[in-house]
Amino acid sequence: MLYPWLGSQHLGKKAFERMNSLTFKKSKDMKAKLEEAILGSIGARQEMVRRSRGQLERSPSGSAFGSQENLRWRKDMTHWRQNSERMDKTRAELEHEALIDGNLATEANLIILDTLEIIVQTASVTESKESILGGVLKVLLHSMACNQSALYLQHCFATQRALVSKFPELLFEEETEQCADLCLRLLRSCSSSISTIRSHASASLYLLMRQNFEIGNNFARVKMQVTMSLSSLVGTSQNFNEEFLRRSLKTILTYAEEDLELRETTFPDQVQDLVFNLHMILSDTVKMKEHQEDPEMLVDLMYRIAKGYQTSPDLRLTWLQNMAGKHSERNNHAEAAQCLVHSAALVAEYLSMLEDRKYLPVGCVTFQNISSNVLEESAVSDDVVSPDEEGICSGKYFTEIGLVGLLEQAAASFSMAGMYEAVNEVYKVLIPIHEANRDAKKLATIHGKLQEAFSKIVHQSTGWERMFGTYFRVGFYGSKFGDLDEQEFVYKEPAITKLAEISHRLESFYGERFGEDQVEVIKDSNPVDKCKLDPNKAFIQITYVEPYFDTYEMKDRITYFDKNYNLRRFVYCTPFTLDGRAHGDLHEQFKRKTILTTSHAFPYIKTRINIIHKEEIISTPIEVAIEDMQKKTQELAFATHQDPADAKMLQMVLQGSVGTTVNQGPLEVAQVFLSEIPSDPKLYRHHNKLRLCFKDFTKRCEDALRKNKSLIGPDQKEYQRELERNYHRLKEALQPLINRKIPQLYKPVLQVNSHRDSFSRLSLRKIDI
């Protein structure tokens, strides 16, 4: 019965004027339509009007109306009564009417508010107070949703605070659904342009947090509801004001800091974390509208928003799926698959709390073999609310069927990305579910897809047929970049992307944004000294990087997939000489090897990842030579043992090793570093290692030539003979250099006695070199 009265909203002066204007316009439109109907251009109506006018002109009596016998009506006698006197009223009168209208609406609602308070006082001593108080709360929430005056809202918020303070269990135990509505209403009022409304709404929201904390030593419910309400508010409200909401959040923070009763508890820190999180979500959501054309920044913002909803699983799941959609639009199937895996892990984490079924994954830890990043979906926060008690995780995906659907989508995306090994890992999670449900049809389908995936792995084992991505280090320097200034990322680009392509793309994009003359790409990969850069320009440094593995890692990273999945470390090399030049002769050519570590492993739920650690290793000229020869030897071995054999690839590598135009390359390296035994004993081992590298290199050249001979046809026999002649010349020139050993390295390690005594400690003692 109270709801119709609460519809007496305060429309305001502008709305009142608009209503009057619309009423007057509607009246004129109706009059014009009626005239058109009467004075239509067809039939007797027009003729009748014409005749009446003629008779009026010829009337001998001089009557103003003429003869009336043949007419049923006269248009000029019709009395039009306007619905509004809008044109006759002054502005002062209109303002007065708007004021009266607003006062009446406010007065009516204040009367109802007084009535509600009487009901609360009366009901608080009755047995059925819960249902009555629940009704009062609903009426209050409804009134907040209406367009009310500032005066009414002040009193309404005071009543709401009193109700929550006196009956806290009403919101947090009984009317739990109303808690979400109240958070939304309060948050909307916190963004009001009227400071009085903002201050009262901030006080109400703070008290809500405080009451929730006092009941259970945290305010997880209010945290979750406020966070979800912010998402709803930013996404749906047209009159939303970001700056006013920030002021209200600052007010709430001040309340927490100055609350002496709770100063020694964790409450102030929890409020600070919540406010910080809301600020981040707010900023990133607003920024998304500005960065619709910047795919990397857009996904970064979506990622940060999803992270802000870490304790609101329903919303985090929504944003993860939004990210998957964005990646699919750009054919980033590996990233889309990762978003779906994270979604499935999130569902599994909460589903394990709801369902006690052994065949379901125990949580995100089950998905570790698919991605090492997935552990960030763990529900380890103190704020995570139990899903069965709090009504969260109620969406369709937080079910067994929803989990199966997400895993199937992930497998499909991995398959489109060519990552068939990951498809197998996804199905390892999915198969036990179908087995427990005795779903033979689904199992047959899955095993069919697995057979197809493994067949593709067998036929594409070399990796040349499926390129998983190209990686670049990208650094941004300059205040024009805002948050990106001095940030460094590793970008994952589509397969076989050249440095010039990504440079052109980023330079063009930021050139359109800041102005072409304001953006400059740094051509080298040397460390950037920002002090030497023009502060008015934006600088981008782009460097091609490759995955980096330690020697021990290579034991596990055997296949092409292993070497291109779950990547966190990358390397790029910068040549330099001690006198400052980039390149010099072999004996003065140093190399700086920079190893980058990213915050997460590729592929991830976004295509660029922040660099969190940088390490530099300086290689001396002889170490540079050793690395170059090892690389050549590995290329020869790979091309020789490739299955199926690739004659073109083998000949290309052979030509680069023993061809007439380049055979002086390896020979020159040997002549520079192996012609003399170094005077510094510290270089003995490097000298010896390079000598052994050349021995291995010549052996691999011989194997490659033998393999090539078995592959060529009659038309290439002369070419084969030429390669063999070049090889023999190279081998003869290298022979004296690689056969000479350093005597000091080959001294006996053990003392050898003429009379061996197995019990003598002397026989096991090392001899100092």
Side-chain angles (χ1 to χ4, degrees):
M1 292 177 63
L2 294 172
Y3 276 44
W5 289 100
L6 286 164
S8 302
Q9 302 182 52
H10 173 40
L11 299 176
K13 184 174 65 178
K14 289 184 179 178
F16 191 77
E17 286 184 5
R18 187 167 65 251
M19 185 180 73
N20 273 278
S21 175
L22 289 172
T23 304
F24 178 70
K25 185 176 184 296
K26 186 177 179 182
S27 170
K28 288 187 68 178
D29 290 346
M30 290 301 294
K31 181 178 177 183
K33 287 181 180 178
L34 187 58
E35 283 185 355
E36 185 182 352
I38 295 171
L39 298 173
S41 58
I42 303 172
R45 288 174 295 175
Q46 188 179 6
E47 181 63 22
M48 183 170 63
V49 173
R50 187 184 59 77
R51 280 191 285 110
S52 71
R53 286 174 179 168
Q55 287 176 356
L56 180 63
E57 291 167 5
R58 295 192 300 273
S59 174
S61 65
S63 168
F65 304 109
S67 174
Q68 300 292 318
E69 290 100 7
N70 298 324
L71 289 174
R72 286 174 290 175
W73 57 269
R74 286 190 57 83
K75 178 178 80 68
D76 48 0
M77 286 295 296
T78 304
H79 178 62
W80 291 92
R81 186 170 181 274
Q82 302 292 348
N83 290 334
S84 172
E85 301 299 330
R86 163 71 176 82
M87 299 302 290
D88 299 331
K89 293 180 181 177
T90 65
R91 184 171 185 83
E93 289 173 323
L94 284 171
E95 289 180 357
H96 183 67
E97 282 193 12
L99 183 63
I100 291 173
D101 180 69
N103 287 342
L104 283 172
T106 302
E107 189 63 32
N109 287 320
L110 286 172
I111 291 169
I112 294 166
L113 199 58
D114 287 340
T115 308
L116 289 174
E117 292 191 354
I118 294 169
I119 292 171
V120 170
Q121 289 174 11
T122 308
S124 60
V125 295
T126 63
E127 293 181 359
S128 57
K129 66 176 181 180
E130 289 80 10
S131 58
I132 298 173
L133 293 175
V136 170
L137 185 59
K138 287 178 183 177
V139 174
L140 279 175
L141 289 173
H142 178 77
S143 70
M144 289 180 190
C146 296
N147 188 22
Q148 303 288 8
S149 67
L151 178 64
Y152 170 76
L153 284 174
Q154 291 176 52
H155 291 283
C156 181
F157 286 138
T159 301
Q160 172 263 314
R161 287 195 294 273
L163 190 64
V164 173
S165 181
K166 194 172 182 180
F167 308 103
E169 70 280 356
L170 179 68
L171 267 180
F172 306 123
E173 292 177 17
E174 291 157 19
E175 298 291 332
T176 53
E177 292 181 5
Q178 309 306 326
C179 183
D181 289 341
L182 180 58
C183 288
L184 179 60
R185 305 280 182 256
L186 293 177
L187 208 59
R188 181 178 279 115
S189 296
C190 282
S191 68
S192 169
S193 58
I194 302 171
S195 61
T196 313
I197 294 177
R198 287 200 307 274
S199 62
H200 277 270
S202 301
S204 287
L205 193 54
Y206 175 74
L207 181 66
L208 203 62
M209 295 176 184
R210 198 181 193 280
Q211 289 292 123
N212 197 191
F213 177 82
E214 288 178 336
I215 287 175
N217 287 329
N218 66 41
F219 54 103
R221 174 188 292 284
V222 174
K223 274 186 182 181
M224 181 185 69
Q225 298 296 359
V226 168
T227 308
M228 293 177 74
S229 296
L230 181 65
S231 175
S232 174
L233 186 65
V234 176
T236 59
S237 179
Q238 299 298 320
N239 301 321
F240 170 74
N241 189 299
E242 180 192 0
E243 181 56 35
F244 290 143
L245 180 55
R246 289 189 188 280
R247 292 183 192 177
S248 297
L249 292 175
K250 189 175 181 181
T251 302
I252 291 170
L253 198 58
T254 305
Y255 281 143
E257 290 170 353
E258 297 179 358
D259 196 331
L260 297 177
E261 290 182 22
L262 298 177
R263 181 168 288 179
E264 300 304 319
T265 67
T266 61
F267 182 66
D269 290 335
Q270 289 193 52
V271 173
Q272 188 174 3
D273 290 344
L274 173 63
V275 169
F276 177 76
N277 194 28
L278 294 176
H279 271 298
M280 290 300 296
I281 292 170
L282 189 58
S283 298
D284 293 338
T285 307
V286 172
K287 281 181 185 176
M288 275 183 63
K289 297 172 184 176
E290 304 170 14
H291 294 90
Q292 289 296 324
E293 303 304 317
D294 185 349
E296 283 87 15
M297 193 64 188
L298 184 62
V299 170
D300 270 5
L301 291 170
M302 294 174 80
Y303 171 82
R304 292 209 305 241
I305 293 168
K307 195 168 185 65
Y309 293 136
Q310 196 83 35
T311 56
S312 305
D314 298 87
L315 283 173
R316 178 163 175 81
L317 182 64
T318 299
W319 281 95
L320 284 171
Q321 290 179 305
N322 289 345
M323 291 174 71
K326 284 290 178 189
H327 285 307
S328 294
E329 286 174 16
R330 303 188 68 234
N331 293 323
N332 295 332
H333 298 299
E335 285 68 32
Q338 292 293 335
C339 289
L340 292 163
V341 167
H342 277 249
S343 300
L346 179 67
V347 168
E349 193 74 14
Y350 287 91
L351 206 56
S352 64
M353 300 181 197
L354 293 165
E355 306 283 352
D356 184 20
R357 299 178 186 174
K358 292 182 180 179
Y359 58 85
L360 289 177
V362 294
C364 62
V365 68
T366 308
F367 297 79
Q368 276 188 108
N369 287 342
I370 304 173
S371 170
S372 60
N373 303 313
V374 84
L375 289 178
E376 66 187 8
E377 302 305 331
S378 298
V380 295
S381 170
D382 293 336
D383 297 332
V384 172
V385 187
S386 181
D388 53 343
E389 294 176 7
E390 300 295 342
I392 62 169
C393 303
S394 55
K396 64 178 182 178
Y397 288 105
F398 287 93
T399 61
E400 185 178 312
I401 295 172
L403 176 63
V404 168
L406 289 168
L407 288 169
E408 286 175 346
Q409 289 180 58
S413 293
F414 273 129
S415 187
M416 284 189 281
M419 296 181 169
Y420 307 114
E421 292 85 348
V423 173
N424 177 41
E425 294 296 334
V426 172
Y427 283 143
K428 282 181 184 178
V429 181
L430 199 49
I431 287 172
I433 300 175
H434 292 317
E435 285 178 341
N437 293 324
R438 313 295 194 273
D439 196 335
K441 189 175 180 181
K442 285 280 180 71
L443 287 168
T445 304
I446 286 177
H447 284 290
K449 289 181 178 177
L450 279 172
Q451 183 183 14
E452 186 181 335
F454 282 119
S455 296
K456 287 180 178 176
I457 292 171
V458 170
H459 291 113
Q460 300 180 5
S461 59
T462 61
W464 294 100
E465 300 86 351
R466 46 175 185 158
M467 300 288 284
F468 290 142
T470 311
Y471 299 92
F472 297 91
R473 168 192 162 272
V474 180
F476 297 93
Y477 308 95
S479 57
K480 287 183 180 291
F481 286 116
D483 293 345
L484 288 179
D485 185 20
E486 294 191 66
Q487 292 278 327
E488 292 184 355
F489 301 89
V490 171
Y491 273 58
K492 178 176 176 284
E493 292 291 300
I496 325 176
T497 300
K498 295 180 180 177
L499 181 63
E501 292 178 57
I502 184 174
S503 295
H504 177 71
R505 177 170 75 85
L506 294 178
E507 188 175 14
S508 299
F509 175 78
Y510 288 106
E512 287 179 14
R513 193 168 167 189
F514 304 137
E516 289 183 12
D517 57 335
Q518 299 296 307
V519 179
E520 192 173 316
V521 175
I522 299 172
K523 302 296 182 183
D524 59 57
S525 55
N526 294 320
V528 175
D529 184 355
K530 197 180 173 186
C531 298
K532 295 180 180 178
L533 300 178
D534 185 343
N536 299 316
K537 283 190 174 184
F539 293 87
I540 308 173
Q541 187 181 43
I542 307 170
T543 313
Y544 170 74
V545 295
E546 293 179 314
Y548 176 80
F549 309 109
D550 282 322
T551 307
Y552 73 89
E553 287 183 273
M554 295 305 292
K555 295 175 183 177
D556 296 322
R557 294 185 181 270
I558 300 166
T559 66
Y560 178 80
F561 176 81
D562 296 332
K563 293 172 184 174
N564 286 273
Y565 194 82
N566 204 25
L567 308 174
R568 278 198 67 187
R569 294 205 293 169
F570 299 85
V571 64
Y572 67 92
C573 299
T574 312
F576 72 97
T577 60
L578 295 179
D579 59 6
R581 291 173 297 134
H583 297 280
D585 294 334
L586 286 174
H587 69 278
E588 56 184 5
Q589 185 66 67
F590 287 76
K591 185 162 68 175
R592 182 186 297 107
K593 190 182 292 182
T594 308
I595 300 167
L596 311 172
T597 305
T598 54
S599 60
H600 295 84
F602 283 100
Y604 187 41
I605 58 178
K606 53 180 188 165
T607 54
R608 73 175 178 188
I609 304 179
N610 292 73
I611 294 169
I612 59 170
H613 183 68
K614 188 183 290 187
E615 178 187 352
E616 287 187 353
I617 299 173
I618 304 296
S619 297
T620 59
I622 192 168
E623 288 174 321
V624 173
I626 290 169
E627 286 179 15
D628 288 345
M629 292 311 301
Q630 285 177 332
K631 189 175 180 181
K632 280 183 179 294
T633 306
Q634 286 168 2
E635 288 173 355
L636 279 165
F638 178 80
T640 304
H641 300 293
Q642 193 173 347
D643 186 22
D646 186 340
K648 288 185 179 178
M649 174 66 67
L650 181 61
Q651 288 171 14
M652 185 173 70
V653 176
L654 265 173
Q655 186 69 31
S657 300
V658 300
T660 52
T661 56
V662 295
N663 66 358
Q664 68 269 26
L667 181 59
E668 185 184 359
V669 171
Q671 288 171 339
V672 168
F673 295 105
L674 298 180
S675 58
E676 294 180 4
I677 294 175
S679 56
D680 186 356
K682 293 178 182 178
L683 295 178
Y684 284 172
R685 293 198 177 277
H686 289 313
H687 182 281
N688 194 53
K689 190 172 183 179
L690 182 59
R691 185 180 67 81
L692 295 175
C693 282
F694 270 102
K695 290 190 81 168
D696 194 18
F697 171 72
T698 54
K699 176 68 173 62
R700 294 295 183 183
C701 286
E702 188 176 342
D703 294 342
L705 283 168
R706 193 180 301 113
K707 179 74 172 181
N708 190 57
K709 190 173 184 179
S710 66
L711 296 175
I712 61 171
D715 57 324
Q716 287 188 310
K717 284 187 176 179
E718 183 55 39
Y719 174 67
Q720 172 71 13
R721 281 194 287 270
E722 180 64 23
L723 286 176
E724 288 175 353
R725 281 194 293 269
N726 290 337
Y727 165 69
H728 288 301
R729 279 197 292 267
L730 176 63
K731 188 177 179 181
E732 286 174 11
L734 290 173
Q735 204 71 30
L737 299 173
I738 64 178
N739 284 339
R740 182 172 56 197
K741 300 177 182 179
I742 301 176
Q744 291 89 332
L745 290 177
Y746 289 87
K747 283 185 177 181
V749 176
L750 297 176
Q751 178 73 40
V752 179
N753 295 327
S754 55
H755 301 289
R756 183 178 177 85
D757 181 1
S758 60
F759 297 101
S760 172
R761 294 176 60 86
L762 184 63
S763 63
L764 301 174
R765 192 174 299 157
K766 286 186 179 180
I767 296 175
D768 294 333
I769 296 176

